[in-house]
Amino acid sequence: MIDFDAIWRFQDEVRTVVNACLGDCIWNLNYNPARQCIELELERHLDDEEQELLSSQLTLPADYDGESDNGSMFVIYPW
């Protein structure tokens, strides 16, 4: 069973960190049950330094997941 309360808290944490590091630039933030991760897509493309900064500031393990038409994408593992 998915703990949606925990997911919402994790998403709030992610939103807070992104806003603090990069400003308001989240395109999409959702939980993917098939991958069991939170997917983050930004409205801008980050360079390597910005990707590392964001990943290091998150309290949950995160990986860079590539680029979309909108911006950089990350996967965040809450479990």
Side-chain angles (χ1 to χ4, degrees):
M1 182 168 173
I2 298 172
D3 183 354
F4 286 105
D5 286 334
I7 291 169
W8 291 325
R9 284 191 304 275
F10 294 142
Q11 287 175 325
D12 282 344
E13 281 183 40
V14 169
R15 188 174 288 106
T16 299
V17 170
V18 170
N19 289 343
C21 290
L22 305 170
D24 185 18
C25 66
I26 294 176
W27 177 263
N28 189 27
L29 178 65
N30 64 46
Y31 180 72
N32 182 327
R35 292 176 75 182
Q36 295 184 347
C37 68
I38 294 171
E39 297 173 328
L40 168 65
E41 182 177 0
L42 302 175
E43 292 179 340
R44 55 184 268 216
H45 299 278
L46 304 182
D47 62 28
D48 291 343
E49 273 186 36
E50 291 171 312
Q51 291 170 18
E52 289 178 27
L53 172 67
L54 180 59
S55 294
S56 71
Q57 295 301 312
L58 292 167
T59 59
L60 300 167
D63 289 323
Y64 171 71
D65 201 33
E67 297 292 320
S68 71
D69 290 338
N70 300 310
S72 299
M73 299 183 306
F74 294 83
V75 290
I76 301 157
Y77 304 100
W79 323 116

